[in-house]
Amino acid sequence: MARWAESEGYESNHPRPYAWRYRDYVVQSFNEDKPFSLFVRQQLAGDEMLPYADENLIATGFLAAGRLSSNEEDKALQRNDVLVDIVNATGNTFLGLTLHCAQCHNHKFDPLTARDYYRFRASSSRDSPPTCC
């Protein structure tokens, strides 16, 4: 239900100097026995929750913990890689589904279409159109 790393990993592996804030948020949430529904909402939409609070913004570290392909020169492709990672991690974690294959074709075993995948992806971004395969 959480993911965390001290660095971006992947190709360039740059450190994430403030990642500890998200880690501490997760630990504090468990220690406070925070309701699961609030824990999930904060991680997925904390930046949209009212009233604005540092805790809510820090919770979105779940989304920010995605891998970054900073060696990619094509900025649209680089942004798409981040969004794909966010969508796939969110689907795996909170829906209990692997959405990866629906990027390019209808899901074989679950009733998910490629259209569903990109509608889910669009809710996390309003920028460039997706690129696939």
Side-chain angles (χ1 to χ4, degrees), residues 96-114:
L97 295 170
T98 55
L99 299 176
H100 303 78
C101 62
Q103 293 175 62
C104 301
H105 57 266
N106 293 343
H107 207 270
K108 187 173 183 178
F109 298 108
D110 293 307
L112 294 170
T113 64

Side-chain angles (χ1 to χ4, degrees), residues 1-92:
M1 301 301 162
R3 62 185 188 157
W4 180 80
E6 290 182 341
S7 68
E8 293 170 357
Y10 208 46
E11 296 147 337
S12 57
N13 204 29
H14 296 141
R16 292 181 170 163
Y18 301 104
W20 61 270
R21 290 180 178 212
Y22 174 69
R23 178 203 60 209
D24 288 0
Y25 156 80
V26 171
V27 170
Q28 183 179 355
S29 295
F30 284 115
N31 288 341
E32 293 174 354
D33 199 23
K34 181 176 288 186
F36 182 71
S37 61
L38 177 58
F39 183 66
V40 170
R41 269 190 325 226
Q42 285 178 319
Q43 290 187 92
L44 297 180
D47 57 334
E48 297 291 329
M49 292 175 69
L50 296 174
Y52 292 110
D54 287 345
E55 178 185 37
N56 293 340
L57 187 58
I58 291 167
T60 61
F62 174 83
L63 301 174
R67 66 184 172 113
L68 179 63
S69 55
S70 57
N71 289 343
E72 176 60 59
E73 292 183 18
D74 182 337
K75 295 303 178 190
L77 184 57
Q78 182 184 42
R79 178 69 177 148
N80 185 65
D81 288 347
V82 170
L83 294 173
V84 164
D85 184 66
I86 291 169
V87 167
N88 293 340
T90 303
N92 290 343

